[in-house]
Amino acid sequence: MSAVPFRLPLRVPSLLTRALLACALLTASPTLWARALDDAVDMAVPLEAGGAPAAAEPRFPALAPDYPHATRLDLVETHFGVSVADPYRWLEADARQDADVRAWIAGENAASSVYLAALPGREALRARLARLYAHERFSTPRKAGGRYFYMRNSGFQNFAPLHVREGADGAERLLLDPNMLSGDGTVALAEWLPSRDGRALLMAVQQDGSDWRTLRVLDVDSGKMLPDRIEWVRYSTLAWNGAGTGFYYSRYPAPKEGRQPATFENQQVWFHALGTDQSADRLVYETPRRPALLHRAEVTADGRWLLIRSNLGTDRRSELTLLSLTAEDGEPVSLVRGLGDEWQLIGNVGDRLYFRTDKRAPQGRVVALDASHPRRAPVEVVAQRPHMLAGGSMIGSRLVLAYIVDGQVVAELTDLDGKRQGDVPLPGIGAAAGFSGRPDDPETFYSFASFTEPPTVYRYNVETGEKSIFARSALGFDPADYVTEQILYPSRDGTQIPMFIVRRRDLALAGQPAPTLLYGYGGFNVSQTPSFSPARFAWVEQGGVLAIAGVRGGGEFGKAWHDAGRLSNKQNAFDDFIAAAEYLKAQGYAGAGQLAIEGRSNGGLLVGAVVNQRPDLFAAALPAVGVMDMLRFDRFTAGSFWVDDYGRPDREPDFRNLLAYSPYHNIREGTDYPAILVTTADSDDRVVPSHSFKYAAALQAADLGARPRLIRIETGAGHGLGKATDKVVDEYADMYSFAAYWTGLALAEAPGDDIQPLLIDESP
């Protein structure tokens, strides 16, 4: 199979094309809109030395778009004595089955597409994004049976093809090109895992960005797909048995009439033998009396043990069940009872199982459990440290432990008794990732990236310390031209919050304010660590400031940090983000009218909430795939899993807390709001798009001033994972040109075509 190239600079965005064809839906003339925006270009703020805009008052287009009509229902419900209006509940209907929702989507996309296409510098930014995303890139390889498996994108492909080498120095062979799985880029390769002997590859395929997976098996020798096909897989790990004759997976019961279920219960672990039909698969584990539990299966590297980790939703606290794969008719044995602590398998030596846990150690420690004596207490191997232990793996005779130190991910080596053996060498401020491998092989691979450096993949021997570069790419810019600062700023209650600030060195030396993009997440124990994003780098390259705040609710400082920003403490996350905005202005990073905010998923909720609470702080807001209706989030798809972070709307204390910050319910009529571009996707089955639909309709119906409140709805895409590169480029071109216009960032013509080829290098 050959790769299918795409040439982004020449491609007309499909969303825009559909919008122009749908202009008849608009009540206002698109020509008039475009003329008004062209006139607004003349209002651009002047540039100071270094290319950054001077601080300026917010600019307004001469004519705002006419929003499509959205029927407002007279729907009011009473919860715990409180009357709650929900006038746009009809937008919760599935657009594939409801003509009114489809028409509303078409009208909104038509309105937003015309507006966004006319923004000054949008096409120049898109062209630059296309070149930045076009750099050749590798995943960290996985080694199995002497073969090396990895993803390699030539730079001009929507999805990275999967390649294999026979030995470290062998010739590269294309194994699977996911660009050929569909003609329209809606089918993507998600998770994959080679068998221990490297002869077969188990892969998960997703459609339209959905969280549902279909499992297939590829014969590595021939490159042919085997007939095995597994359906109704979701939130599953992939786990081969030791012999490579079958695998374990997690699935849900098939719903009636083949329809996808609205909620998820009764997940089960099954075993599939290669060459058989799914109907012959063997049920391994289930908990029918506790149907809400999720179950994920892992097989130890030696193939002796099957470990099943069970938890509720997004709560990482789990219980452990163990099955012997060497004993005939092995029965499940409880290894850890109750959902009291986090447990992550690191590896094993015989019956000795190593885990990362926060049991009696909020920052994390390493302990060993005895599989042959499951009732014995854990034995401590590595004690808790001041810094957060984020994960670990067993490579050769070493433990590789990942710690979060000052917002960076660093790696430490110990022997199997926990004695320190040194650190994995890292080149600077950034984050390391990868470190997969086996206890019988000292070789591993890891990547290192920063905000201004794309990932470099390293090959590393944990026992000799020998390191070489496996793959790296050069994007034609010098990272030394950019500055990354790590600062602490005080939140409302005095808590010190970490934040990264990235900008061009010339702007930092000049000490002048510039248009600033503030990003945050603040939930589900997810840490904000350095990574390379072509889209965010393009913002910085153009003269903008990038700030990433590690607000409470994340995992930057362990369990206590997470707890301080969830449930009844959720307001702390919003206060932290507001304080970040105030700090950036007070310290001169951003001037008047120069601050935009961005967040995705839980971060979309963050943006929606703070815009309601402090609309005066921001010039523009970019809430993406956000959770916006906090009173009904638990009724759709994965929403029921989020109650550990948000609470339960059917419980009065939680209801009152949720109602107090729910973005959909707290829009402040009669208040000037920033310019808002909501983004979502019609096939998102994690945070269903109705959250964004209802929020956008409510924004557009309210009197919130002259700035636009638009929504951009991607078709044939989901929550984010598995989205084609061309769609990613189009989306960020729209988002960041919108933010640039409203913060005064003048988008220059795209720099020259300076992408350099990938270098394959085995030198130290």
Side-chain angles (χ1 to χ4, degrees):
M1 293 186 289
S2 61
V4 179
F6 65 95
R7 292 173 175 81
L8 286 166
L10 302 180
R11 180 180 177 276
V12 177
S14 59
L15 187 62
L16 175 58
T17 302
R18 290 193 299 273
L20 293 175
L21 293 174
C23 282
L25 294 173
L26 305 179
T27 57
S29 165
T31 304
L32 183 60
W33 285 7
R35 187 184 309 122
L37 285 169
D38 287 340
D39 292 342
V41 175
D42 297 332
M43 302 166 62
V45 297
L47 294 180
E48 293 184 351
E57 292 301 316
R59 299 167 300 147
F60 294 87
L63 183 66
D66 289 336
Y67 305 117
H69 173 70
T71 300
R72 184 178 176 87
L73 303 177
D74 185 18
L75 176 60
V76 179
E77 295 177 335
T78 301
H79 302 276
F80 305 106
V82 179
S83 296
V84 179
D86 190 1
Y88 300 108
R89 186 174 295 180
W90 62 275
L91 286 170
E92 293 178 355
D94 191 333
R96 293 167 293 188
Q97 303 170 12
D98 191 291
D100 291 337
V101 176
R102 285 198 303 274
W104 182 85
I105 291 173
E108 291 288 351
N109 272 345
S112 62
S113 294
V114 173
Y115 187 99
L116 295 169
L119 287 170
R122 191 262 181 201
E123 288 307 310
L125 177 61
R126 184 185 181 282
R128 180 55 178 161
L129 285 169
R131 287 196 287 273
L132 287 171
Y133 273 98
H135 71 281
E136 195 171 15
R137 50 203 183 271
F138 276 59
S139 68
T140 52
R142 292 175 177 172
K143 184 179 179 181
R147 288 169 162 163
Y148 294 79
F149 299 82
Y150 53 89
M151 311 291 286
R152 180 176 69 82
N153 192 318
S154 66
F156 293 94
Q157 295 163 291
N158 271 327
F159 302 110
L162 180 62
H163 294 79
V164 63
R165 286 186 189 177
E166 304 289 340
D169 301 317
E172 178 182 273
R173 173 165 61 98
L174 176 65
L175 190 58
L176 176 73
D177 185 356
N179 297 284
M180 304 297 291
L181 295 176
S182 67
D184 58 0
T186 58
V187 178
L189 173 63
E191 302 80 20
W192 53 271
L193 182 70
S195 59
R196 183 180 177 182
D197 58 12
R199 298 178 60 186
L201 185 125
L202 176 59
M203 50 185 278
V205 176
Q206 62 180 149
Q207 174 80 40
D208 292 330
S210 171
D211 283 338
W212 287 106
R213 302 288 192 264
T214 297
L215 303 186
R216 303 300 307 273
V217 180
L218 199 67
D219 178 76
V220 176
D221 289 332
S222 67
K224 294 182 179 179
M225 198 76 71
L226 299 180
D228 304 68
R229 186 183 186 94
I230 306 298
E231 303 283 3
W232 302 114
V233 177
R234 190 174 177 125
Y235 311 129
S236 176
T237 49
L238 307 179
W240 285 98
N241 67 353
T245 57
F247 55 84
Y248 298 88
Y249 65 96
S250 304
R251 59 160 291 184
Y252 287 94
K256 296 179 180 179
E257 301 178 359
R259 294 188 176 185
Q260 295 185 3
T263 57
F264 306 108
E265 291 187 332
N266 298 308
Q267 191 184 47
Q268 303 161 323
V269 176
W270 291 76
F271 176 77
H272 175 78
L274 292 185
T276 65
D277 188 80
Q278 184 175 3
S279 61
D281 288 359
R282 173 169 56 89
L283 177 63
V284 175
Y285 188 73
E286 63 177 336
T287 53
R289 294 184 179 180
R290 294 187 292 168
L293 284 179
L294 296 174
H295 308 297
R296 294 177 174 87
E298 300 175 74
V299 175
T300 55
D302 58 7
R304 292 185 57 191
W305 304 99
L306 175 70
L307 181 75
I308 298 173
R309 184 161 45 94
S310 303
N311 65 290
L312 283 171
T314 57
D315 189 345
R316 299 185 186 183
R317 295 173 297 178
S318 58
E319 60 187 30
L320 304 178
T321 303
L322 195 65
L323 288 87
S324 171
L325 299 182
T326 57
E328 293 187 10
D329 301 323
E331 293 295 322
V333 174
S334 178
L335 188 61
V336 173
R337 299 178 184 271
L339 304 174
D341 306 286
E342 295 182 26
W343 295 89
Q344 174 201 358
L345 180 65
I346 293 176
N348 78 298
V349 177
D351 295 344
R352 186 176 171 89
L353 305 179
Y354 290 76
F355 291 90
R356 176 221 171 263
T357 182
D358 63 358
K359 182 180 178 67
R360 298 174 186 163
Q363 298 294 84
R365 60 175 178 153
V366 178
V367 301
L369 298 177
D370 189 338
S372 60
H373 298 88
R375 305 304 297 163
R376 287 183 179 175
V379 176
E380 185 169 270
V381 178
V382 178
Q384 178 178 225
R385 306 277 181 80
H387 300 292
M388 174 68 177
L389 175 59
S393 56
M394 183 181 291
I395 312 294
S397 61
R398 298 288 186 266
L399 300 180
V400 182
L401 305 179
Y403 288 91
I404 299 178
V405 180
D406 296 330
Q408 303 173 63
V409 180
V410 299
E412 176 185 308
L413 299 173
T414 77
D415 63 21
L416 299 185
D417 293 324
K419 184 178 179 180
R420 180 181 170 85
Q421 300 295 310
D423 296 324
V424 176
L426 302 177
I429 296 177
F435 298 107
S436 64
R438 299 177 53 82
D440 56 3
D441 188 345
E443 184 180 61
T444 188
F445 293 84
Y446 68 92
S447 65
F448 180 85
S450 71
F451 293 114
T452 56
E453 294 181 83
T456 296
V457 179
Y458 294 91
R459 184 182 181 191
Y460 184 64
N461 187 305
V462 298
E463 295 177 356
T464 67
E466 182 181 0
K467 182 183 76 168
S468 61
I469 293 176
F470 179 79
R472 65 180 175 187
S473 58
L475 287 177
F477 59 82
D478 186 352
D481 291 337
Y482 301 87
V483 176
T484 298
E485 302 173 65
Q486 295 173 277
I487 62 99
L488 293 173
Y489 67 90
S491 188
R492 181 178 181 179
D493 62 1
T495 300
Q496 294 293 305
I497 312 298
M499 182 160 57
F500 289 103
I501 302 174
V502 187
R503 53 182 169 166
R504 287 195 334 224
R505 185 174 295 276
D506 59 335
L507 297 181
L509 292 174
Q512 63 186 45
T516 299
L517 181 65
L518 170 61
Y519 181 88
Y521 186 79
F524 299 98
N525 205 22
V526 175
S527 302
Q528 300 303 302
T529 56
S531 63
F532 182 77
S533 161
R536 292 177 189 166
F537 178 79
W539 176 272
V540 175
E541 182 185 55
Q542 291 284 345
V545 176
L546 171 67
I548 299 179
V551 304
R552 283 174 284 185
E556 286 80 0
F557 299 111
K559 184 177 181 180
W561 197 255
H562 177 212
D563 289 344
R566 69 184 183 102
L567 299 175
S568 61
N569 295 323
K570 189 66 176 177
Q571 182 60 42
N572 284 337
F574 310 141
D575 290 343
D576 295 351
F577 203 56
I578 289 169
E582 293 174 329
Y583 178 90
L584 291 168
K585 288 189 171 185
Q587 297 300 315
Y589 291 97
Q594 288 188 316
L595 184 60
I597 53 174
E598 179 191 2
R600 303 186 67 86
S601 195
N602 178 78
L605 159 64
L606 175 68
V607 169
V610 301
V611 164
N612 285 337
Q613 294 179 17
R614 286 295 306 277
D616 58 297
L617 273 178
F618 315 112
L622 304 172
V625 292
V627 187
M628 300 307 199
D629 184 347
M630 300 309 298
L631 301 187
R632 291 175 62 80
F633 73 86
D634 60 333
R635 297 171 182 253
F636 306 101
T637 61
S640 59
F641 295 156
W642 309 334
V643 295
D644 184 65
D645 246 56
Y646 297 149
R648 299 180 182 275
D650 60 352
R651 296 178 180 175
E652 183 172 359
D654 290 346
F655 163 80
R656 295 187 181 278
N657 184 55
L658 292 164
L659 180 60
Y661 67 78
S662 176
Y664 174 55
H665 297 94
N666 288 280
I667 295 169
R668 296 166 60 182
E669 181 82 28
T671 303
D672 282 343
Y673 266 47
I676 300 174
L677 176 59
V678 182
T679 52
T680 188
D682 64 351
S683 299
D684 190 341
D685 60 359
R686 186 177 304 178
V687 180
V688 292
S690 62
H691 280 281
S692 294
F693 293 173
K694 293 167 64 175
Y695 173 65
L699 285 173
Q700 293 173 358
D703 176 12
L704 302 175
R707 294 173 181 171
R709 286 95 64 192
L710 305 175
I711 183 169
R712 182 191 190 278
I713 304 159
E714 189 70 74
T715 58
H719 196 63
L721 182 66
K723 183 181 290 187
T725 303
D726 57 352
K727 290 186 175 183
V728 173
V729 168
D730 284 341
E731 180 181 33
Y732 276 108
D734 286 341
M735 291 169 57
Y736 285 3
S737 61
F738 182 85
Y741 178 78
W742 285 100
T743 59
L745 179 62
L747 299 175
E749 289 299 318
D753 192 4
D754 49 12
I755 303 300
Q756 302 298 317
L758 185 99
L759 305 176
I760 305 298
D761 187 354
E762 292 295 333
S763 61

